[in-house]
Short mmCIF file of all heavy atoms in Angstrom, two decimals:
data_model
loop_
_atom_site.label_atom_id
_atom_site.label_comp_id
_atom_site.label_asym_id
_atom_site.label_seq_id
_atom_site.Cartn_x
_atom_site.Cartn_y
_atom_site.Cartn_z
N ASP A 1 -2.12 5.57 -21.94
CA ASP A 1 -1.61 6.98 -22.31
C ASP A 1 -1.06 6.87 -23.68
O ASP A 1 -0.14 6.14 -23.98
CB ASP A 1 -0.42 7.40 -21.41
CG ASP A 1 0.18 8.78 -21.67
OD1 ASP A 1 -0.49 9.49 -22.58
OD2 ASP A 1 1.01 9.25 -21.08
N ILE A 2 -1.82 7.58 -24.60
CA ILE A 2 -1.24 7.53 -25.95
C ILE A 2 0.02 8.66 -26.04
O ILE A 2 -0.25 9.78 -26.45
CB ILE A 2 -2.37 8.09 -27.05
CG1 ILE A 2 -3.54 7.11 -26.84
CG2 ILE A 2 -1.84 8.07 -28.44
CD1 ILE A 2 -4.79 7.30 -27.68
N SER A 3 1.06 8.32 -25.48
CA SER A 3 2.14 9.09 -25.18
C SER A 3 3.10 9.17 -26.26
O SER A 3 3.99 9.99 -26.29
CB SER A 3 2.85 8.50 -23.96
OG SER A 3 3.35 7.25 -24.05
N GLY A 4 3.17 8.16 -27.13
CA GLY A 4 4.34 8.08 -28.15
C GLY A 4 5.50 7.36 -27.46
O GLY A 4 6.62 7.24 -28.18
N ARG A 5 5.48 7.02 -26.26
CA ARG A 5 6.50 6.28 -25.52
C ARG A 5 6.08 4.93 -25.21
O ARG A 5 5.28 4.63 -24.29
CB ARG A 5 6.89 7.01 -24.26
CG ARG A 5 7.41 8.47 -24.40
CD ARG A 5 7.89 9.10 -23.17
NE ARG A 5 6.69 9.06 -22.14
CZ ARG A 5 5.84 9.95 -22.06
NH1 ARG A 5 5.87 10.98 -23.02
NH2 ARG A 5 4.95 10.03 -21.12
N PRO A 6 6.43 3.90 -26.00
CA PRO A 6 5.84 2.48 -25.91
C PRO A 6 6.40 1.83 -24.63
O PRO A 6 7.54 1.84 -24.44
CB PRO A 6 6.59 1.73 -27.19
CG PRO A 6 7.00 2.88 -28.04
CD PRO A 6 7.41 4.06 -27.19
N PHE A 7 5.31 1.43 -23.88
CA PHE A 7 5.73 0.58 -22.62
C PHE A 7 4.49 -0.19 -22.29
O PHE A 7 3.39 0.35 -22.12
CB PHE A 7 6.10 1.64 -21.46
CG PHE A 7 6.51 0.88 -20.23
CD1 PHE A 7 7.80 0.40 -20.13
CD2 PHE A 7 5.62 0.61 -19.21
CE1 PHE A 7 8.15 -0.34 -18.94
CE2 PHE A 7 5.89 -0.05 -18.05
CZ PHE A 7 7.18 -0.54 -17.95
N LEU A 8 4.71 -1.43 -22.01
CA LEU A 8 3.66 -2.29 -21.56
C LEU A 8 4.11 -2.87 -20.14
O LEU A 8 5.16 -3.48 -20.07
CB LEU A 8 3.43 -3.50 -22.55
CG LEU A 8 2.38 -4.61 -21.92
CD1 LEU A 8 1.00 -4.00 -21.85
CD2 LEU A 8 2.44 -5.81 -22.89
N ALA A 9 3.13 -2.61 -19.20
CA ALA A 9 3.30 -3.21 -17.87
C ALA A 9 2.17 -4.31 -17.74
O ALA A 9 0.96 -3.92 -17.76
CB ALA A 9 3.26 -2.19 -16.72
N TRP A 10 2.60 -5.61 -17.77
CA TRP A 10 1.62 -6.70 -17.74
C TRP A 10 1.76 -7.41 -16.51
O TRP A 10 2.68 -8.06 -16.30
CB TRP A 10 1.93 -7.50 -19.03
CG TRP A 10 1.10 -8.79 -19.20
CD1 TRP A 10 1.42 -9.97 -18.75
CD2 TRP A 10 -0.19 -8.93 -19.70
NE1 TRP A 10 0.51 -10.98 -19.10
CE2 TRP A 10 -0.51 -10.33 -19.64
CE3 TRP A 10 -1.08 -8.02 -20.39
CZ2 TRP A 10 -1.77 -10.78 -20.22
CZ3 TRP A 10 -2.20 -8.41 -20.97
CH2 TRP A 10 -2.45 -9.84 -20.79
N SER A 11 0.67 -7.33 -15.74
CA SER A 11 0.70 -7.93 -14.44
C SER A 11 -0.58 -8.86 -14.32
O SER A 11 -1.47 -8.58 -13.67
CB SER A 11 0.63 -6.96 -13.36
OG SER A 11 1.77 -6.19 -13.22
N VAL A 12 -0.56 -9.95 -15.19
CA VAL A 12 -1.64 -10.83 -15.24
C VAL A 12 -1.18 -12.38 -15.31
O VAL A 12 -0.22 -12.62 -16.05
CB VAL A 12 -2.34 -10.66 -16.65
CG1 VAL A 12 -3.62 -11.62 -16.77
CG2 VAL A 12 -2.88 -9.19 -16.80
N ALA A 13 -1.72 -13.14 -14.36
CA ALA A 13 -1.24 -14.51 -14.21
C ALA A 13 -2.53 -15.33 -14.51
O ALA A 13 -3.63 -15.08 -14.16
CB ALA A 13 -0.70 -14.79 -12.84
N PHE A 14 -2.27 -16.33 -15.28
CA PHE A 14 -3.43 -17.27 -15.62
C PHE A 14 -3.34 -18.58 -14.90
O PHE A 14 -2.11 -19.06 -14.69
CB PHE A 14 -3.36 -17.56 -17.12
CG PHE A 14 -3.87 -16.44 -18.18
CD1 PHE A 14 -2.92 -15.46 -18.46
CD2 PHE A 14 -5.04 -16.40 -18.41
CE1 PHE A 14 -3.40 -14.42 -19.29
CE2 PHE A 14 -5.57 -15.38 -19.23
CZ PHE A 14 -4.69 -14.32 -19.58
N PRO A 15 -4.46 -19.19 -14.58
CA PRO A 15 -4.40 -20.45 -13.72
C PRO A 15 -4.01 -21.57 -14.58
O PRO A 15 -3.83 -22.72 -14.05
CB PRO A 15 -5.78 -20.51 -13.11
CG PRO A 15 -6.75 -19.82 -14.13
CD PRO A 15 -5.78 -18.66 -14.59
N ARG A 16 -4.16 -21.55 -15.86
CA ARG A 16 -3.75 -22.75 -16.82
C ARG A 16 -3.06 -22.18 -18.06
O ARG A 16 -3.03 -21.03 -18.29
CB ARG A 16 -5.00 -23.49 -16.98
CG ARG A 16 -6.26 -22.86 -17.63
CD ARG A 16 -7.38 -23.77 -17.63
NE ARG A 16 -8.52 -23.19 -17.97
CZ ARG A 16 -9.20 -23.10 -19.17
NH1 ARG A 16 -8.48 -23.85 -20.06
NH2 ARG A 16 -10.34 -22.49 -19.32
N ASP A 17 -2.40 -23.12 -18.70
CA ASP A 17 -1.54 -22.76 -19.84
C ASP A 17 -2.32 -22.47 -21.05
O ASP A 17 -1.75 -21.88 -21.95
CB ASP A 17 -0.56 -23.83 -20.05
CG ASP A 17 0.43 -24.10 -18.92
OD1 ASP A 17 0.62 -23.03 -18.22
OD2 ASP A 17 0.99 -25.15 -18.82
N LYS A 18 -3.47 -22.94 -21.29
CA LYS A 18 -4.37 -22.82 -22.52
C LYS A 18 -5.77 -22.35 -22.26
O LYS A 18 -6.37 -22.73 -21.15
CB LYS A 18 -4.35 -24.09 -23.24
CG LYS A 18 -2.95 -24.45 -23.94
CD LYS A 18 -2.99 -25.65 -24.76
CE LYS A 18 -1.78 -26.00 -25.35
NZ LYS A 18 -1.26 -25.13 -26.49
N VAL A 19 -6.28 -21.61 -23.21
CA VAL A 19 -7.81 -21.45 -23.28
C VAL A 19 -8.16 -21.90 -24.51
O VAL A 19 -7.65 -21.50 -25.60
CB VAL A 19 -8.12 -19.94 -23.14
CG1 VAL A 19 -9.61 -19.80 -23.27
CG2 VAL A 19 -7.71 -19.31 -21.83
N GLY A 20 -8.96 -23.01 -24.68
CA GLY A 20 -9.08 -23.75 -25.92
C GLY A 20 -7.79 -24.24 -26.27
O GLY A 20 -7.07 -24.91 -25.54
N GLU A 21 -7.37 -23.98 -27.58
CA GLU A 21 -6.10 -24.36 -28.07
C GLU A 21 -4.97 -23.27 -28.04
O GLU A 21 -3.84 -23.44 -28.50
CB GLU A 21 -6.21 -24.71 -29.51
CG GLU A 21 -7.17 -25.91 -29.81
CD GLU A 21 -7.18 -26.35 -31.13
OE1 GLU A 21 -6.82 -25.54 -32.06
OE2 GLU A 21 -7.66 -27.48 -31.42
N MET A 22 -5.44 -22.10 -27.42
CA MET A 22 -4.39 -20.92 -27.38
C MET A 22 -3.76 -20.93 -26.15
O MET A 22 -4.21 -21.03 -25.00
CB MET A 22 -5.22 -19.63 -27.60
CG MET A 22 -4.41 -18.37 -27.61
SD MET A 22 -5.35 -16.89 -28.14
CE MET A 22 -4.06 -15.78 -28.02
N ASP A 23 -2.36 -20.80 -26.17
CA ASP A 23 -1.44 -20.59 -25.17
C ASP A 23 -1.77 -19.17 -24.40
O ASP A 23 -1.73 -18.15 -25.14
CB ASP A 23 -0.02 -20.65 -25.55
CG ASP A 23 0.42 -22.06 -26.12
OD1 ASP A 23 -0.15 -23.05 -25.48
OD2 ASP A 23 1.18 -21.96 -27.00
N THR A 24 -2.05 -19.27 -23.07
CA THR A 24 -2.16 -18.07 -22.47
C THR A 24 -1.10 -17.04 -22.42
O THR A 24 -1.35 -15.88 -22.31
CB THR A 24 -2.83 -18.37 -21.01
OG1 THR A 24 -1.93 -19.14 -20.25
CG2 THR A 24 -4.14 -18.90 -21.03
N GLU A 25 0.06 -17.52 -22.58
CA GLU A 25 1.24 -16.59 -22.57
C GLU A 25 1.24 -15.68 -23.78
O GLU A 25 1.87 -14.76 -23.76
CB GLU A 25 2.50 -17.42 -22.43
CG GLU A 25 2.73 -18.27 -23.73
CD GLU A 25 4.10 -19.13 -23.64
OE1 GLU A 25 4.63 -19.07 -22.57
OE2 GLU A 25 4.52 -19.63 -24.68
N LEU A 26 0.46 -16.11 -24.77
CA LEU A 26 0.38 -15.32 -26.01
C LEU A 26 -0.31 -14.05 -25.90
O LEU A 26 -0.18 -13.07 -26.74
CB LEU A 26 -0.13 -16.06 -27.21
CG LEU A 26 0.74 -17.31 -27.55
CD1 LEU A 26 0.10 -17.98 -28.68
CD2 LEU A 26 2.09 -16.88 -27.95
N PHE A 27 -1.26 -13.93 -24.87
CA PHE A 27 -1.99 -12.66 -24.66
C PHE A 27 -0.96 -11.52 -24.43
O PHE A 27 -1.16 -10.38 -24.89
CB PHE A 27 -2.99 -12.79 -23.51
CG PHE A 27 -4.08 -13.74 -23.85
CD1 PHE A 27 -4.24 -14.91 -23.10
CD2 PHE A 27 -4.85 -13.65 -24.99
CE1 PHE A 27 -5.22 -15.88 -23.33
CE2 PHE A 27 -5.81 -14.55 -25.21
CZ PHE A 27 -5.96 -15.77 -24.48
N GLU A 28 -0.02 -11.70 -23.58
CA GLU A 28 1.01 -10.73 -23.32
C GLU A 28 1.72 -10.35 -24.58
O GLU A 28 2.05 -9.18 -24.92
CB GLU A 28 2.00 -11.24 -22.21
CG GLU A 28 3.12 -10.16 -22.02
CD GLU A 28 4.05 -10.51 -20.86
OE1 GLU A 28 3.97 -11.71 -20.35
OE2 GLU A 28 4.93 -9.72 -20.47
N GLU A 29 2.18 -11.35 -25.44
CA GLU A 29 2.73 -11.09 -26.72
C GLU A 29 1.98 -10.24 -27.63
O GLU A 29 2.44 -9.29 -28.41
CB GLU A 29 3.24 -12.41 -27.47
CG GLU A 29 4.14 -13.27 -26.57
CD GLU A 29 5.41 -12.57 -26.19
OE1 GLU A 29 5.97 -11.77 -26.99
OE2 GLU A 29 5.87 -12.75 -25.04
N PHE A 30 0.51 -10.54 -27.66
CA PHE A 30 -0.31 -9.68 -28.55
C PHE A 30 -0.23 -8.17 -28.04
O PHE A 30 -0.07 -7.41 -28.88
CB PHE A 30 -1.66 -10.19 -28.47
CG PHE A 30 -2.74 -9.32 -28.97
CD1 PHE A 30 -2.86 -9.14 -30.44
CD2 PHE A 30 -3.58 -8.53 -28.19
CE1 PHE A 30 -3.72 -8.22 -30.97
CE2 PHE A 30 -4.47 -7.75 -28.73
CZ PHE A 30 -4.59 -7.45 -30.10
N PHE A 31 -0.47 -8.12 -26.72
CA PHE A 31 -0.67 -6.63 -26.30
C PHE A 31 0.79 -5.93 -26.33
O PHE A 31 0.82 -4.70 -26.61
CB PHE A 31 -1.15 -6.62 -24.85
CG PHE A 31 -2.55 -6.79 -24.69
CD1 PHE A 31 -3.00 -7.93 -24.17
CD2 PHE A 31 -3.49 -5.74 -25.27
CE1 PHE A 31 -4.42 -8.09 -24.04
CE2 PHE A 31 -4.82 -5.95 -25.01
CZ PHE A 31 -5.32 -7.03 -24.46
N ARG A 32 1.89 -6.60 -26.23
CA ARG A 32 3.23 -6.01 -26.40
C ARG A 32 3.39 -5.51 -27.82
O ARG A 32 3.82 -4.44 -28.05
CB ARG A 32 4.33 -6.90 -25.95
CG ARG A 32 5.67 -6.37 -26.16
CD ARG A 32 6.81 -7.10 -25.46
NE ARG A 32 6.63 -6.98 -24.14
CZ ARG A 32 6.33 -8.03 -23.13
NH1 ARG A 32 6.06 -9.19 -23.75
NH2 ARG A 32 6.36 -7.89 -21.96
N GLY A 33 3.00 -6.45 -28.78
CA GLY A 33 3.19 -6.07 -30.16
C GLY A 33 2.36 -4.83 -30.51
O GLY A 33 2.72 -3.88 -31.23
N LEU A 34 1.17 -4.82 -30.02
CA LEU A 34 0.17 -3.66 -30.22
C LEU A 34 0.69 -2.44 -29.66
O LEU A 34 0.78 -1.31 -30.26
CB LEU A 34 -1.15 -3.94 -29.68
CG LEU A 34 -2.48 -3.19 -30.18
CD1 LEU A 34 -3.74 -3.98 -29.92
CD2 LEU A 34 -2.37 -1.83 -29.44
N VAL A 35 1.07 -2.51 -28.43
CA VAL A 35 1.39 -1.32 -27.58
C VAL A 35 2.69 -0.65 -28.20
O VAL A 35 2.82 0.49 -28.34
CB VAL A 35 1.53 -1.64 -26.19
CG1 VAL A 35 2.35 -0.53 -25.35
CG2 VAL A 35 0.28 -1.83 -25.42
N ILE A 36 3.71 -1.36 -28.43
CA ILE A 36 4.94 -0.88 -28.97
C ILE A 36 4.72 -0.23 -30.36
O ILE A 36 5.37 0.85 -30.53
CB ILE A 36 6.05 -2.12 -29.01
CG1 ILE A 36 6.44 -2.33 -27.74
CG2 ILE A 36 7.24 -1.71 -29.92
CD1 ILE A 36 7.36 -3.73 -27.65
N ASN A 37 3.95 -0.89 -31.27
CA ASN A 37 3.73 -0.35 -32.57
C ASN A 37 2.85 0.83 -32.60
O ASN A 37 2.98 1.59 -33.57
CB ASN A 37 3.38 -1.36 -33.44
CG ASN A 37 4.52 -2.32 -33.82
OD1 ASN A 37 5.41 -2.11 -34.80
ND2 ASN A 37 4.68 -3.38 -33.04
N ALA A 38 1.97 0.94 -31.61
CA ALA A 38 0.96 2.16 -31.65
C ALA A 38 1.69 3.26 -30.79
O ALA A 38 1.11 4.40 -31.04
CB ALA A 38 -0.33 1.72 -30.91
N GLY A 39 2.60 3.00 -30.09
CA GLY A 39 3.25 4.10 -29.19
C GLY A 39 2.49 4.40 -28.02
O GLY A 39 2.26 5.60 -27.73
N LEU A 40 1.88 3.35 -27.17
CA LEU A 40 1.19 3.60 -26.11
C LEU A 40 2.05 3.17 -24.87
O LEU A 40 2.87 2.38 -24.88
CB LEU A 40 0.00 2.65 -26.03
CG LEU A 40 -0.97 2.52 -27.31
CD1 LEU A 40 -2.03 1.58 -27.16
CD2 LEU A 40 -1.48 4.03 -27.73
N THR A 41 1.66 3.86 -23.79
CA THR A 41 2.03 3.47 -22.48
C THR A 41 0.80 2.77 -21.95
O THR A 41 -0.26 3.38 -21.84
CB THR A 41 2.38 4.64 -21.58
OG1 THR A 41 3.56 5.34 -22.10
CG2 THR A 41 2.77 4.14 -20.10
N CYS A 42 1.01 1.57 -21.49
CA CYS A 42 -0.29 0.65 -21.14
C CYS A 42 0.09 -0.17 -19.97
O CYS A 42 1.16 -0.86 -19.96
CB CYS A 42 -0.74 -0.07 -22.28
SG CYS A 42 -2.14 -1.19 -21.91
N HIS A 43 -0.80 -0.09 -18.99
CA HIS A 43 -0.61 -0.91 -17.80
C HIS A 43 -2.00 -1.84 -17.71
O HIS A 43 -2.99 -1.29 -17.70
CB HIS A 43 -0.68 -0.20 -16.36
CG HIS A 43 0.76 0.53 -16.27
ND1 HIS A 43 1.65 0.22 -15.36
CD2 HIS A 43 1.30 1.63 -17.07
CE1 HIS A 43 2.63 1.07 -15.37
NE2 HIS A 43 2.47 1.96 -16.38
#
C-alpha cells in the first residue's frame, strides 16, 4: 500500500545464513530501508 505510512511486516525465514557471500539477514534490512524511505506499507 503506497500509504505514506511506513511499515514493513517481514515473515521470511531462510534455511541458511548466506547466499553466496551475502548474509540472508540483510534482505530484511534492504526492504526495511526501502519501505521506510518510500513511505510504503508492505507485507
Side-chain angles (χ1 to χ4, degrees):
D1 176 10
I2 303 176
S3 60
R5 298 185 303 276
F7 182 83
L8 175 66
W10 176 262
S11 300
V12 181
F14 285 88
R16 53 193 171 99
D17 293 337
K18 289 182 180 290
V19 180
E21 296 183 345
M22 184 172 175
D23 297 322
T24 51
E25 67 182 11
L26 296 183
F27 297 120
E28 180 178 3
E29 299 304 320
F30 167 76
F31 281 111
R32 179 171 288 108
L34 192 162
V35 164
I36 288 173
N37 284 274
L40 309 180
T41 299
C42 178
H43 290 249

